[in-house]
Amino acid sequence: MNTTQHTSAAAFAPYLRFGVLSTVIVLTCLFTVQAAAMQSTAERKYRLAQSYEQAGNLDDAARLYLELYNDNPQYDQVYSAVERTLMELQRYGELQPIVGEQAVKQQQPELYALNGNLLWKLGQTDQAFQAWEDGLALNSDNIDSYSAIAQAQIDNRLFDQAIQTLLLGRKRSGRPQTFSNDLSQLYGAVGNYREGAREVMTLLEQTGNLPLAQGRISAYLVNERGIAESGEVLSAAAEGSRDQVILEVYEWYLRQIEDYDKAFDVFVRIDELNGGDGRQMLRFGNQVARDGRYDIAIKAFGRIIEMGQSKNPHVHSALYGYAQAMEQRMAEGGKFSEEEVREIISRYERILKEFPKSKFAAEAQYGLANLNHHYLNNLERAAEEYRTLMANYGNKSVAADGALALGRLYLEEDRLDEAEQTFQKMQKQFRKFDDQVKQARFELAELLFYRGSLDSATLAYSGLANDSDKDIANDALNRLLLFGENPDEGAKEHIKIFAKAILRERQSRDDEARKLFQQTAQDAAQSALGELALLRIGELDARDGLYGAARTSLEALLTQYPETIYGDKAYALIGDTWLAENATDKAIEAYTNILVNYPDSTLLQEMREKIRSLRDES
């Protein structure tokens, strides 16, 4: 090369370098623009797939997600979308290879769990178990791995395998209390109640969560074996234990199987653990009383009472609980002796004497009056106790109840003026107790009715007919329907006689009531009032045990009033009278008449149950 040529090349060198650099820059820009364009396309496709998914078009959403995944398998967000939509579409065959690939890449136990799940659904059971084993092998100390694999097995109802997985995790981790929550449910699912109960006790020791333990045990009490195996474990755990929560779950179990005597013994231990002051025994007594086991409640309350007031601050509560339990047992049993009633009265009297300021004093005063009124028929003493209640506890709702009871007692004794005064007085004294005041207003309307003041009674009932208390409103409407529209003087006289009959029945003067109902049925024949009077005669006779007479009146009702609105009630009563005389076939015949002739009767279900029960017995 000559000097001239060398000089020319040197001169052009800067331009050559600039050209190469420019080419590189241009190519870089082109690649960047192309990549940005590709990225923008992917983003648009992803957003489109999302909109399809949100609209419920899972097929198109899955198609676009798969395209995106095939273009870039490393994009986690896209993989999640593929998994989600294909699982929802149950396209397990397409999803499984993708999940298997991701499991190998990411080495996460959750992915191995899902892979095994999919393989199981595809019928490749050996491969499924292998996938789960591979997932557990990733990190044998990772508790979460066992949970994930076990959950996949549970999803496929492989409960025994899930139990083995969790037990393996417990063994490898060296944590013997791990997985008690899951295992307690799994053992229940496979019917291994003994091991399930053991896990429940382990869980209870960990958490102290009594309601959770009760819920788990209750699921085992579905058959005799579950009851027996659960009982063995709970009894063994409670024996010699001073842990209250363990004793309480055992006591709860005993109440569930209705072994209340043993439950009482366990609660004696619980009470002693808490200082033996009776508080826990009181709780037990209230609980078994709610269960309707008044005998055990009385035993529990009696134990507290025997401790004496000096040793026990809960004696007044126990006295009230004892009396209430006895009263409820007596009411439900239907039979009682005067001695029993007087024992209850003595408990109430002791509360009033020793604990006059306690929260139970007003209730005890009411109980004292009520027992004398309704059980001993000592009306003079009852009235005195009601008046004491009103005077001493006028700020309590139970005193308003007592005022109502006193007014009704006067009605029973035919002391109508005193009844009226009592109901009027209580509206002022107890005006803040709305329910009782409404009942007093209704009783005042009834007094007008009994006295034959029909126009005034009509106004009083009309004021109650739209009351928010449906019972009072319905009773008022029934009275107004009885009066009819613009009754003539003859109809009014019939209504007045009927009203006297109702009053005499309320006063337990049944013979007088029966004669007045019979007079109404005769004088007001072929009227709605005469129709009702025949029904009331039948009801009264049936209640008094005059079954033949009751049937005569009820059959007269059905004959004289073939379209009677009381036909279903009449047949029901006829059936009951036959049943009382052990004439089962005739009772069934009467009840069947209701099913056949009164398809809209509110008594249908009751009659079906009676017929079914009688046929089963025969």
Side-chain angles (χ1 to χ4, degrees):
M1 179 182 297
N2 58 30
T3 304
T4 303
Q5 291 175 324
H6 179 76
T7 301
S8 298
F12 280 102
Y15 297 101
L16 289 172
R17 287 195 298 273
F18 176 76
V20 171
L21 181 60
S22 298
T23 300
V24 170
I25 291 172
V26 169
L27 290 173
T28 300
C29 289
L30 287 172
F31 287 137
T32 302
V33 170
Q34 185 178 12
M38 292 174 65
Q39 185 176 5
S40 177
T41 300
E43 288 177 356
R44 285 197 298 272
K45 184 180 287 188
Y46 184 75
R47 286 196 295 271
L48 179 60
Q50 282 183 313
S51 66
Y52 280 140
E53 186 178 1
Q54 291 167 0
N57 187 351
L58 296 180
D59 288 306
D60 284 335
R63 175 176 56 79
L64 292 177
Y65 285 141
L66 279 169
E67 290 176 7
L68 289 166
Y69 179 79
N70 290 331
D71 291 340
N72 185 5
Q74 307 302 321
Y75 194 10
D76 290 342
Q77 193 172 4
V78 171
Y79 163 73
S80 297
V82 169
E83 178 190 314
R84 184 174 62 249
T85 52
L86 290 184
M87 281 295 290
E88 185 70 22
L89 291 166
Q90 297 184 12
R91 287 158 58 177
Y92 305 132
E94 293 177 67
L95 179 58
Q96 187 276 318
I98 296 172
V99 173
E101 178 184 33
Q102 289 292 325
V104 172
K105 287 181 179 179
Q106 298 187 38
Q107 294 290 289
Q108 292 181 2
E110 292 79 9
L111 290 171
Y112 280 94
L114 177 58
N115 190 32
N117 189 354
L118 293 167
L119 288 165
W120 186 270
K121 292 181 187 301
L122 293 169
Q124 301 176 41
T125 55
D126 291 340
Q127 294 92 324
F129 282 119
Q130 186 59 55
W132 289 327
E133 288 181 16
D134 292 343
L136 294 176
L138 292 176
N139 183 351
S140 61
D141 295 330
N142 184 356
I143 291 297
D144 294 337
S145 300
Y146 298 95
S147 293
I149 301 299
Q151 187 57 55
Q153 293 164 339
I154 291 169
D155 291 343
N156 289 286
R157 304 191 65 79
L158 299 171
F159 301 132
D160 286 309
Q161 189 62 41
I163 289 171
Q164 295 307 312
T165 297
L166 295 177
L167 291 177
L168 180 62
R170 174 182 282 182
K171 179 180 179 181
R172 287 178 175 176
S173 68
R175 296 158 65 179
Q177 295 183 329
T178 304
F179 304 129
S180 289
N181 187 27
D182 297 315
L183 285 167
S184 66
Q185 298 176 77
L186 286 167
Y187 279 126
V190 300
N192 190 342
Y193 306 116
R194 182 176 285 104
E195 290 302 323
R198 286 173 178 158
E199 294 295 343
V200 169
M201 298 311 291
T202 300
L203 184 63
L204 185 60
E205 290 172 0
Q206 289 177 283
T207 65
N209 190 332
L210 182 61
L212 176 62
Q214 290 172 340
R216 294 291 162 79
I217 294 295
S218 67
Y220 304 159
L221 308 182
V222 293
N223 54 45
E224 291 300 322
R225 187 164 60 84
I227 292 170
E229 291 183 5
S230 299
E232 289 173 13
V233 173
L234 296 179
S235 176
E239 187 174 356
S241 176
R242 294 185 60 79
D243 188 329
Q244 180 170 330
V245 74
I246 290 176
L247 293 175
E248 288 211 25
V249 76
Y250 182 44
E251 178 275 332
W252 168 85
Y253 160 83
L254 291 169
R255 282 192 289 109
Q256 298 310 298
I257 64 170
E258 299 188 355
D259 191 344
Y260 282 89
D261 288 313
K262 280 188 179 178
F264 172 81
D265 292 338
V266 173
F267 240 96
V268 169
R269 293 170 58 191
I270 292 173
D271 196 56
E272 290 171 350
L273 282 175
N274 287 271
D277 66 353
R279 181 169 59 87
Q280 295 297 327
M281 186 56 66
L282 182 67
R283 180 162 68 91
F284 174 73
N286 288 328
Q287 177 61 62
V288 295
R290 287 193 294 271
D291 292 345
R293 291 304 302 265
Y294 304 119
D295 53 339
I296 302 298
I298 290 167
K299 185 177 179 181
F301 294 131
R303 178 182 171 84
I304 300 169
I305 294 167
E306 289 170 4
M307 295 177 184
Q309 184 178 350
S310 61
K311 295 182 179 179
N312 195 301
H314 306 290
V315 169
H316 67 291
S317 300
L319 281 166
Y320 181 73
Y322 188 102
Q324 283 283 290
M326 282 197 70
E327 195 170 341
Q328 288 164 347
R329 183 180 68 177
M330 188 171 65
E332 288 193 5
K335 295 181 179 180
F336 56 91
S337 65
E338 183 176 333
E339 183 182 355
E340 288 177 304
V341 177
R342 294 199 180 281
E343 182 181 356
I344 301 170
I345 286 175
S346 72
R347 302 292 179 178
Y348 286 140
E349 287 175 335
R350 183 177 169 188
I351 292 172
L352 292 168
K353 180 180 179 181
E354 298 181 15
F355 310 98
K357 302 297 183 183
S358 75
K359 62 181 180 180
F360 300 116
E363 296 284 352
Q365 183 67 52
Y366 180 84
L368 194 59
N370 181 62
L371 288 169
N372 277 285
H373 184 178
H374 295 292
Y375 291 91
L376 296 182
N377 198 35
N378 187 344
L379 300 186
E380 184 177 349
R381 171 76 187 278
E384 179 186 342
E385 299 298 349
Y386 284 134
R387 288 191 289 267
T388 300
L389 173 65
M390 294 166 63
N392 294 347
Y393 305 98
N395 63 335
K396 294 184 180 297
S397 176
V398 70
D401 292 333
L404 275 172
L406 178 61
R408 289 164 179 164
L409 182 151
Y410 287 143
L411 273 175
E412 293 167 24
E413 291 193 297
D414 208 26
R415 296 158 65 179
L416 302 190
D417 290 340
E418 290 170 88
E420 181 181 5
Q421 292 168 12
T422 301
F423 292 133
Q424 287 176 340
K425 178 182 177 182
M426 74 156 292
Q427 288 186 92
K428 298 177 182 178
Q429 182 178 353
F430 301 104
R431 58 181 176 273
K432 68 178 180 179
F433 301 114
D434 193 50
D435 290 343
Q436 289 93 328
V437 168
K438 288 176 181 178
Q439 292 180 60
R441 288 177 59 204
F442 181 79
E443 293 290 8
L444 286 168
E446 290 281 87
L447 276 168
L448 292 169
F449 175 50
Y450 300 148
R451 286 168 165 163
S453 302
L454 300 187
D455 291 339
S456 297
T458 299
L459 288 173
Y461 288 131
S462 297
L464 293 164
N466 295 317
D467 197 273
S468 58
D469 186 313
K470 291 183 179 179
D471 291 335
I472 288 177
N474 288 336
D475 288 342
L477 283 170
N478 284 332
R479 288 286 188 255
L480 291 172
L481 289 172
L482 184 68
F483 296 168
E485 293 186 13
N486 302 315
D488 58 28
E489 290 304 315
K492 286 183 178 179
E493 288 305 312
H494 298 153
I495 294 170
K496 290 177 182 179
I497 293 171
F498 185 82
K500 287 181 181 178
I502 292 176
L503 177 60
R504 294 294 178 255
E505 183 181 14
R506 187 168 181 177
Q507 293 170 343
S508 299
R509 294 157 68 174
D510 289 356
D511 289 340
E512 293 179 49
R514 187 176 290 106
K515 289 178 182 178
L516 290 167
F517 281 134
Q518 287 168 345
Q519 183 180 344
T520 305
Q522 182 178 345
D523 294 348
Q526 296 308 310
S527 73
L529 189 62
E531 177 184 0
L532 180 57
L534 281 173
L535 177 68
R536 296 299 292 262
I537 296 167
E539 291 174 336
L540 184 59
D541 286 341
R543 190 178 69 237
D544 289 347
L546 304 172
Y547 302 126
R551 287 193 292 271
T552 298
S553 297
L554 294 167
E555 287 164 0
L557 168 65
L558 294 167
T559 302
Q560 295 175 28
Y561 301 89
E563 301 299 323
T564 178
I565 61 174
Y566 307 116
D568 55 345
K569 292 183 179 178
Y571 276 119
L573 274 170
I574 289 170
D576 290 345
T577 63
W578 284 124
L579 192 59
E581 294 179 338
N582 297 316
T584 303
D585 291 340
K586 291 182 178 180
I588 291 174
E589 181 182 350
Y591 296 146
T592 303
N593 268 316
I594 299 173
L595 304 184
V596 173
N597 298 316
Y598 302 92
D600 297 324
S601 171
T602 58
L603 301 175
L604 286 182
Q605 185 59 34
E606 180 185 350
M607 294 303 105
R608 289 193 186 99
E609 291 175 359
K610 279 190 173 183
I611 291 169
R612 188 183 305 114
S613 176
L614 290 172
R615 284 175 175 165
D616 289 344
E617 290 175 6
S618 60

